[in-house]
Amino acid sequence: MNIVVTVKQIPDPNVAPQLDGNRLKRTGVAGVLDPGDEFGVEAGLQIAAAHGGEVTVVSMGPAQAMEAVRKALSMGATKGVLVSDDALQGSDALHTARVLAEAIKNTGFDLIISGVESTDGYTGVVPQMIASILDIPSATFAKSIEINGDTVKINRQTEKGYDEVEVQMPCVITVTAGVNEPRYPSFKGIVEAKKKPVDEPGSPVAGESTSQNVESVNDAPQRGAGEVVEDDGSGAAKIADFLAQAKVI
Amino acid sequence: MSLSPEHEEFRKVVRAFADREVRPKAAYYDERAEFPTDVILACGEQGFLGLPIPERYGGAGADYLSYLICVEELARVDPSVAITVEAHTSLVCNLLYHFGTEDQKTRWLTPLAAGKKIGAFALTEPGAGSDAGGTQTSAREDGDDYVINGAKMFITNSGTDISLLAIATARMADGQISAFIVPVGTPGFEIGRKLRKIGWHASDTRELAFTDCRVPKHNLLGESGKGFNQFLAQLDDGRIAIAALAVGQAQGCLDECLRYVAERRQFGRPIGSFQAIQFKLADMATKIHHAKLAVYHAGNLRQNGDPFKIEASMTKLFATEMAVDIAREAVQVHGGYGFIEEFPVARFYRDSKVLEIGEGTSEVQRIIIARQLGLDPGLR
Ligand SMILES: Cc1cc2nc3c(=O)[nH]c(=O)nc-3n(C[C@H](O)[C@H](O)[C@H](O)COP(=O)(O)OP(=O)(O)OC[C@H]3O[C@@H](n4cnc5c(N)ncnc54)[C@H](O)[C@@H]3O)c2cc1C
């Protein structure tokens, strides 16, 4: 089975983000493999181990994103593709999906796994767009994945519980945090990752990289002070009311 | 001296592991003086209990430098976990790997290096500490067995649920000292009480007693009678690892201080804005930097097969004394809160002192260094 996992390098979330104009600064800042993508890589590795096949990681980003690709390779992926092109700077979700879909088409695929959304941009639409461009089905928010022959069955996380969803391969699956526990790379894995093949094509699609323009960036509003509930015996009930109002319970 | 990009990458992995899997439980196990079996087995699953051991013997097939990095990063959050890994790897796995027969490696090294079990090294006795050559424990030949009698003191990793064996030194009939593999459960091998310590609470330290304890002859480790000298050479390895542990815990102290001085306000401003505090932190960072260079320099010598005896002792001496100083200053920077157990620096302070004692006291390191300088300490 050809398993493709899309991965992205994001600025280290433990460091305060910096702006480059109206865009997030991505080069020259410490980057990490998006923690959300680690679940995708782990899912791919587990499926490959159980059902045979290999895992190819596909990424779009500046040259520096090679670190994220290598991280995925050190976890055990077989090979990588990094599409890096100055013309792609500032790409919006749709253009990113076009580029990734084209790269995925070139590597061949049976199953494409992505995180639900990136931890920096949070658009959460790229995987579905890839499925649409490749004209294959997608099943999203998987909290578990089961493969039976050509069929992928997922438990799709919902607000109330989960739906069981079945799709035919080839397809795109997005995975939530909690679908598995991503492994830590071993020292040997790190050394071997340097020798694994990574294809570095330029942008395979022409045209405008974005149809969006960020006009301005503003700080998120400060959170107001919380409400303190004095417990005079009715504390639990008051908190339950509050949670019910917030539609949490 | 520099580490390869692969080593730096591995450091990130161990750091992430330590932050996620070790840090949240450090205070819990320390407070209860309980051995963190789950944490150590998790280390085992990552290959951290056999980093420098080849894969054919269950190890991770990494190298000595990656092992030092691992000990350093674990100590940054929990010195008890780090010493558990260190004693197991430097003193037990290393000895089995270097001196074990093929059979001994298959049978004993493999489960240890694979991280399923841990091992103990039993050299120190109630009457023989710095003077390890003063071993009183005896090993007498009897048919196909050796019969061991004697007592051991301060033995790390000896009485946990996952302890597999002790490598015990004993004097033979000809007066020479050898070492024996004594599996847990051998009749006559009594694992004594857990010692109450001022630090390293989560590390298992015990007295051991051997009473007519029989082990088969093939449990002799290394060449008969040569054991002692071979082992002393091997101890140099462990000294660099203890220095790495010291560097890690000192870094842990500095991390805590950096966080605290930004939060704590007195006289209307963060205490980190006072030059007296800033200078303490600047001194800490400077000392850690130098100790770390020394650790990885000695580690590189060892890894390349170059002589490193004097470097190992100098590094152990310098790094451990530094770690004790820094732990004391870290408490000072925290004021009264540093004396309260909720703050990690209180634990680091208690954990630090033993660094100047275990695997050769500071005085013993100075003796070794003086000897390497060509001076005669006048000892046997
Ligand atoms: C928590 C802990 C864990 C340990 N784990 C292990 C283990 O797993 N296996 C093991 O075998 N041992 C272990 N040890 C023992 C440790 O290695 C010894 O404690 C150490 O070597 C010192 O021996 P001692 O305690 O008998 O002190 P002593 O040797 O009695 O020393 C007392 C003092 O005299 C000084 N001194 C001694 N000789 C000289 C000299 N010639 N010149 C100048 N000063 C001298 C010492 O430096 C020290 O200050 C552990 C100890 C501790 C505390």
Side-chain angles (χ1 to χ4, degrees), chain B residues 121 123-124 129-130 154-156 200 354 357 359 361 363 367 379:
Chain B
F121 178 60
L123 174 71
T124 306
S130 299
F154 303 126
I155 308 308
T156 304
W200 282 1
V354 67
I357 297 169
E359 297 202 31
T361 63
E363 292 73 22
I367 292 171
L379 302 171

Side-chain angles (χ1 to χ4, degrees), chain A residues 71 184-185 187-188 190 194, chain B residues 6-7 13 21 46 55 62:
Chain A
K71 170 87 187 273
Y184 297 94
F187 182 70
K188 244 184 114 238
I190 292 168
K194 306 273 149 144
Chain B
E6 288 83 357
H7 286 110
V13 173
E21 322 283 341
Q46 294 309 316
E55 284 170 293

Side-chain angles (χ1 to χ4, degrees), chain B residues 63-65 296-308:
Chain B
D63 57 8
Y64 185 68
L65 291 175
Y296 290 100
H297 177 252
N300 261 311
L301 292 175
R302 150 75 172 73
Q303 181 139 314
N304 298 336
D306 294 326
F308 64 99

Side-chain angles (χ1 to χ4, degrees), chain B residues 36-205:
Chain B
T37 307
D38 59 335
V39 176
I40 299 303
L41 289 176
C43 287
E45 266 173 39
Q46 294 309 316
F48 295 170
L49 292 178
L51 281 172
I53 306 298
E55 284 170 293
R56 65 179 185 282
Y57 300 122
D63 57 8
Y64 185 68
L65 291 175
S66 63
Y67 162 58
L68 293 178
I69 290 167
C70 179
V71 170
E72 182 193 331
E73 290 299 327
L74 291 174
R76 194 163 150 264
V77 303
D78 190 344
S80 284
V81 167
I83 189 59
T84 303
V85 171
E86 193 278 339
H88 163 91
T89 309
S90 280
L91 303 179
V92 182
C93 291
N94 250 339
L95 285 182
L96 285 167
Y97 178 58
H98 281 101
F99 303 116
T101 61
E102 201 54 37
D103 276 354
Q104 288 171 338
K105 287 183 203 173
T106 310
R107 175 136 186 228
W108 304 112
L109 177 57
T110 305
L112 294 174
K116 309 267 183 267
K117 296 278 180 179
I118 59 169
F121 178 60
L123 174 71
T124 306
E125 301 185 357
S130 299
D131 182 15
T135 294
Q136 308 266 301
T137 298
S138 67
R140 163 172 64 82
E141 281 188 63
D142 185 35
D144 290 337
D145 297 336
Y146 286 104
V147 182
I148 304 174
N149 277 286
K152 295 288 175 180
M153 188 65 179
F154 303 126
I155 308 308
T156 304
N157 290 349
S158 56
T160 74
D161 290 346
I162 52 170
S163 296
L164 179 67
L165 55 84
I167 294 176
T169 51
R171 195 176 296 282
M172 316 271 272
D174 62 2
Q176 299 296 320
I177 298 173
S178 289
F180 303 87
I181 299 167
V182 189
V184 169
T186 306
F189 174 20
E190 192 197 323
I191 295 164
R193 73 195 163 93
K194 192 164 166 176
L195 300 169
R196 287 184 60 219
K197 309 187 291 286
I198 60 170
W200 282 1
H201 283 170
S203 159
D204 186 79
T205 318

Side-chain angles (χ1 to χ4, degrees), chain A residues 33-246:
Chain A
L33 171 61
D34 190 327
D37 289 339
E38 288 186 26
F39 297 99
V41 174
E42 181 64 39
L45 293 173
Q46 287 185 10
I47 292 168
H51 302 276
E54 55 180 38
V55 175
T56 306
V57 290
V58 176
S59 185
M60 181 187 104
Q64 187 190 329
M66 183 62 86
E67 293 164 12
V69 173
R70 294 279 177 214
K71 170 87 187 273
L73 294 174
S74 72
M75 289 172 73
T78 314
K79 57 190 191 346
V81 179
L82 172 61
V83 186
S84 197
D85 199 319
D86 284 347
L88 292 172
Q89 270 189 50
S91 291
D92 63 8
L94 180 58
H95 199 71
T96 304
R98 280 192 198 117
V99 170
L100 290 175
E102 194 60 29
I104 292 169
K105 219 188 278 172
N106 292 337
T107 53
F109 58 93
D110 298 302
L111 177 62
I112 301 165
I113 304 176
S114 302
V116 164
E117 59 189 359
S118 63
T119 311
D120 56 352
Y122 291 108
T123 62
V125 292
V126 170
Q128 296 87 317
M129 288 172 165
I130 293 174
S132 168
I133 294 164
L134 296 175
D135 201 18
I136 57 174
S138 70
T140 52
F141 291 95
K143 63 189 216 98
S144 72
I145 308 173
E146 208 184 293
I147 311 277
N148 298 309
D150 275 354
T151 312
V152 184
K153 190 174 130 198
I154 67 158
N155 288 344
R156 180 179 198 275
Q157 182 76 54
T158 65
E159 278 176 18
K160 294 207 179 88
Y162 62 86
D163 296 335
E164 289 181 6
V165 179
E166 277 187 12
V167 276
Q168 289 296 118
M169 281 196 266
C171 61
V172 173
I173 304 288
T174 72
V175 295
T176 61
V179 66
N180 53 40
E181 266 204 49
R183 69 196 63 189
Y184 297 94
S186 68
F187 182 70
K188 244 184 114 238
I190 292 168
V191 174
E192 279 167 3
K194 306 273 149 144
K195 299 177 213 140
K196 290 181 176 172
V198 179
D199 196 14
E200 290 177 82
S203 177
V205 283
E208 278 298 308
S209 68
T210 181
S211 51
Q212 296 174 347
N213 189 28
V214 181
E215 293 285 338
S216 67
V217 179
N218 299 304
D219 285 336
Q222 289 275 338
R223 270 202 224 164
E227 189 189 333
V228 178
V229 178
E230 292 281 348
D231 189 14
D232 52 8
S234 64
K238 280 187 191 148
I239 289 173
D241 282 350
F242 173 80
L243 292 175
Q245 251 176 32

Side-chain angles (χ1 to χ4, degrees), chain B residues 206-270:
Chain B
R206 292 170 192 265
E207 286 180 277
L208 304 178
F210 300 93
T211 315
D212 291 332
C213 174
R214 277 178 184 272
V215 295
K217 280 211 168 134
H218 58 245
N219 279 22
L220 174 74
L221 184 59
E223 285 172 64
S224 171
K226 285 216 181 133
F228 187 59
N229 288 334
Q230 291 177 324
F231 298 147
L232 286 192
Q234 210 58 35
L235 287 184
D236 294 341
D237 254 47
R239 294 195 170 122
I240 309 176
I242 294 289
L245 199 163
V247 166
Q249 102 139 63
Q251 183 66 48
C253 288
L254 177 55
D255 294 346
E256 292 300 327
C257 288
L258 282 168
R259 192 178 8 252
Y260 190 75
V261 302
E263 283 167 11
R264 177 67 175 170
R265 297 175 72 86
Q266 287 292 286
F267 300 95
R269 47 192 174 122

